[in-house]
């Protein structure tokens, strides 16, 4: 019998438990022996709740050490979402030579180098497929492609919650807060959904992808981040009138020995391949010099899709197919985010005097912008060719509140 120690029994943890039960025969056949959860780490309040529900409490513990010190456990699956505790659980497990599978992108993004180094030292697998793109198999193919290619571009819709919100606002005209609440009920959102809608979750995923793709550390601070929380019906009406949609995209591009890494809302034509990625789906494209473009697509969040990705890692470990070596190289690329230019959309909703001040200042841009006043009194400005930082500086100088403006790049090529 093979045993899993499960840390966390929320959305993803319960999905892991459910799939293991549903697919026990197939798994036993493939692995040559059955695989089961031996112990589950839960918070004290959950222990009481599970007792009341009649769950087999002999499986539950509130002490991590009960799992760490159990000699029967073959793999530890960390799905608590906790930052400090999550890191401690992963480190202690690897230190002891117990393979770790996690979906915890906050911890992986913040501590990827040290965790992979520890895994290598201990010759113990550390896998985190579920941390990027939910169900999509992306990290395993990427780790293979970096051996065969120089990867110069990686781009994608990396957050299910934000994409779900944008889709339902665009297609059904629903209210932002209402759709966000629905995404939380469906188990897509992070504990603090600010991470989803302000782009920090996508930033962590892009950092993980870019670090692997570019064979060297692209730290969280190397990624420019802006989100979608201030989008309004005025933005949607304008973008629709252009036969376009807006998507929260993460893009990392290497040019020579420099790279850029940005997460931002991007207005794309309806004909763009990202435009049709709807609801909580994610899509990721990578470009390598030998393989060309590879596109990955699938459920980006949710209980069973994420649990499925976790269990693929578990299967690789139990089959002895997981590499324990460090996947990060030592390339030293310099960050060229500041040099990026593009077309930029800005919508501002505030008093008439401030709008006039913005319109006057926008006239200073090298390429004269298009501007219009909407029926609800918002100002829309589209900058022909501008530095992203200059557009943000404009709203910064006028000290606009975050909720009073929305900025999106127009196109991304
Ligand atoms: P949940 O909040 O649903 O589940 C986490 C569970 O772990 C909760 O029951 C929580 O208890 C418990 N927990 C928190 N801290 C500890 C701790 N220190 N020790 C023991 N248990 C703890 O989160 P999800 O299942 O949605 O997410 C889990 C992880 O998977 C996160 O890292 C998330 O980012 C990642 N992920 C989630 C996806 C999704 O679609 N949901 C997709 C991809 C990745 P309590 O509620 O009492 O705090
Ligand atoms: N909150 C994340 C999302 C979960 O919505 O994409 C999947 O990583």
């Amino acid at each position: 019998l093979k045993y899993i120690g499960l840390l966390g029994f929320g959305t993803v943890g319960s999905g892991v438990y459910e799939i293991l039960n549903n697919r026990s025969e197939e798994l036993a056949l493939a692995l040559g022996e059955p695989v089961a959860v031996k112990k589950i780490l839960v918070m004290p309040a959950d222990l009481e709740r599970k007792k009341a529900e009649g769950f087999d409490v002999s499986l539950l513990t509130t002490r991590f050490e009960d799992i760490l010190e159990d000699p029967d456990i073959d793999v530890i699956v960390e799905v608590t979402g906790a930052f400090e505790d999550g890191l401690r659980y992963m480190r202690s497990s690897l230190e002891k030579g117990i393979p770790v599978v996690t979906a915890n992108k906050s911890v992986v993004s913040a501590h990827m180098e040290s965790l992979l180094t520890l895994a290598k030292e201990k010759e113990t697998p550390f896998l985190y497929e579920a941390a990027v793109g939910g169900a999509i198999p992306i990290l395993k193919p990427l780790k293979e492609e970096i051996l065969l290619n120089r990867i110069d571009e990686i781009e994608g819709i990396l957050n299910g919650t934000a994409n779900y919100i944008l889709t339902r606002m665009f297609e059904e005209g629903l209210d932002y807060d209402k759709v966000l609440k629905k995404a939380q009920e469906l188990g897509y959102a992070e504990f603090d959904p600010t991470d989803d809608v302000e782009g920090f979750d996508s930033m962590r995923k892009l950092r993980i992808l870019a670090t692997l793709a570019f064979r060297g550390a692209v730290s969280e601070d190397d990624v420019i981040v802006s989100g979608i929380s201030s989008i309004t019906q005025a933005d949607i009406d304008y973008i629709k009138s252009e036969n376009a949609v807006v998507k929260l995209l993460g893009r990392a591009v290497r040019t020579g020995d420099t790279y850029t890494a940005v997460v931002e809302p991007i207005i794309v034509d309806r004909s763009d391949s990202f435009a049709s990625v709807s609801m909580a789906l994610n899509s990721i494209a990578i470009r390598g010099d030998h393989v060309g473009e590879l596109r990955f697509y699938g459920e980006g969040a949710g209980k069973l899709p994420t649990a499925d990705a976790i269990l693929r890692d578990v299967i690789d470990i139990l089959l002895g197919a997981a590499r324990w070596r460090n996947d990060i190289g030592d390339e030293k690329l310099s960050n060229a985010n500041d040099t990026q230019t593009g077309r930029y959309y800005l919508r501002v909703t505030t008093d008439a005097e401030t709008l006039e001040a913005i319109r006057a200042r926008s006239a200073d841009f090298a390429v004269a912008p298009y501007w219009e006043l909407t029926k609800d009194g918002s100002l829309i400005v589209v900058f022909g060719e501008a530095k992203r930082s200059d557009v943000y500086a404009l709203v910064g100088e006028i000290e606009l509140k975050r909720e009073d403006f929305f900025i999106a790049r127009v196109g991304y090529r």
Side-chain angles (χ1 to χ4, degrees):
L1 207 62
K2 291 289 183 193
Y3 278 124
I4 293 173
L6 187 57
L7 314 181
F9 204 30
T11 305
V12 181
S14 57
V16 168
Y17 188 78
E18 199 174 310
I19 298 179
L20 277 173
N21 285 336
N22 288 346
R23 305 296 296 177
S24 56
E25 280 174 30
E26 291 79 0
L27 285 167
L29 211 60
L31 297 171
E33 56 192 320
V35 54
V37 171
K38 175 90 189 284
K39 274 256 172 307
I40 307 173
L41 179 70
V42 293
M43 300 295 266
D46 284 329
L47 185 66
E48 295 311 315
R49 204 174 310 133
K50 288 284 169 199
K51 256 188 204 165
E53 285 170 12
F55 189 83
D56 176 3
V57 284
S58 69
L59 281 176
L60 305 180
T61 178
T62 55
R63 290 181 68 249
F64 169 60
E65 290 66 29
D66 289 347
I67 292 177
L68 186 70
E69 284 156 18
D70 185 332
D72 290 341
I73 285 178
D74 298 288
V75 184
I76 285 186
V77 169
E78 191 284 324
V79 281
T80 65
F83 191 79
E84 298 298 340
D85 279 350
L87 177 63
R88 180 166 62 82
Y89 299 156
M90 291 185 226
R91 281 203 173 131
S92 310
S93 308
L94 292 172
E95 288 283 358
K96 231 170 170 267
I98 308 172
V100 172
V101 173
T102 186
N104 197 329
K105 48 260 156 107
S106 306
V107 170
V108 176
S109 170
H111 295 285
M112 187 170 177
E113 287 77 11
S114 69
L115 285 166
L116 286 170
T117 302
L118 178 59
K120 187 179 181 184
E121 267 169 33
K122 298 291 174 183
E123 301 190 6
T124 301
F126 171 65
L127 296 181
Y128 44 98
E129 182 66 68
V132 180
I136 302 175
I138 174 67
L139 299 184
K140 190 177 175 190
L142 180 60
K143 288 177 198 172
E144 288 163 357
E145 293 306 340
I146 57 178
L147 305 178
L148 304 169
N149 290 262
R150 177 191 150 103
I151 307 285
D152 279 332
E153 222 170 302
I154 189 141
E155 63 202 12
I157 293 175
L158 301 171
N159 186 271
T161 303
N163 205 51
Y164 179 84
I165 293 172
L166 291 173
T167 305
R168 297 205 64 188
M169 285 180 79
F170 258 78
E171 304 307 331
E172 299 167 59
L174 293 180
D175 172 67
Y176 176 94
D177 291 324
K178 205 168 154 183
V179 201
L180 170 57
K181 196 159 167 280
K182 187 72 190 160
Q184 289 176 295
E185 283 165 18
L186 289 167
Y188 300 152
E190 294 303 302
F191 179 71
D192 179 356
T194 311
D195 285 0
D196 296 293
V197 294
E198 292 298 4
F200 300 113
D201 180 74
S202 299
M203 172 275 285
R204 293 179 187 120
K205 292 165 177 169
L206 190 65
R207 126 77 167 160
I208 295 169
L209 290 168
T211 291
L212 292 172
F214 300 163
R215 312 303 323 262
V218 173
S219 75
E220 294 190 346
D221 292 341
D222 293 325
V223 185
I224 288 184
V225 189
S226 56
I228 58 147
S229 67
S230 62
I231 193 165
T232 64
Q233 201 54 47
D235 302 310
I236 291 173
D237 290 345
Y238 177 84
I239 294 165
K240 271 187 171 172
S241 76
E242 294 289 298
N243 199 27
V245 292
V246 66
K247 294 289 177 189
L248 184 63
L249 279 184
R251 292 191 79 225
V253 180
R254 163 156 63 177
T255 312
D257 55 5
T258 68
Y259 73 92
T260 54
V262 182
V263 171
E264 63 187 339
I266 301 193
I267 296 172
V268 295
D269 285 345
R270 287 249 180 216
S271 59
D272 188 277
S273 55
F274 286 120
S276 56
V277 179
S278 63
M279 306 299 265
L281 290 158
N282 283 186
S283 173
I284 302 163
I286 63 174
R287 257 173 229 101
D289 55 352
H290 295 135
V291 75
E293 180 179 285
L294 287 176
R295 256 177 202 274
F296 301 83
Y297 176 82
E299 295 294 341
K303 172 177 162 173
L304 296 173
T306 310
D308 187 284
I310 290 272
L311 286 168
R312 273 182 267 133
D313 279 349
V314 170
I315 291 170
D316 274 356
I317 289 171
L318 295 181
L319 287 175
R323 298 190 198 100
W324 48 260
R325 65 170 178 72
N326 192 338
D327 287 299
I328 301 176
D330 56 4
E331 286 243 23
K332 302 267 180 293
L333 303 178
S334 50
N335 186 298
N337 284 342
D338 288 349
T339 62
Q340 271 195 321
T341 61
R343 287 181 72 209
Y344 273 91
Y345 165 94
L346 164 69
R347 187 265 312 148
V348 183
T349 307
T350 179
D351 59 273
E353 197 181 325
T354 312
L355 292 186
E356 183 46 36
I358 293 167
R359 198 185 65 76
R361 284 180 196 222
S362 64
D364 294 341
F365 278 70
V367 179
Y370 161 87
W371 65 271
E372 74 174 46
L373 273 174
T374 67
K375 282 192 295 259
D376 76 343
S378 301
L379 175 71
I380 286 175
V381 187
V382 183
F383 298 92
E385 182 70 19
K387 266 191 161 179
R388 184 182 185 284
S389 52
D390 288 346
V391 180
Y392 275 87
L394 179 73
V395 294
E397 280 161 27
I398 300 203
E399 294 180 1
L400 287 174
K401 289 196 285 247
R402 180 71 190 92
E403 61 269 28
D404 288 341
F405 68 91
F406 178 67
I407 295 176
R409 191 184 163 107
V410 184
Y412 55 97
R413 293 255 174 251

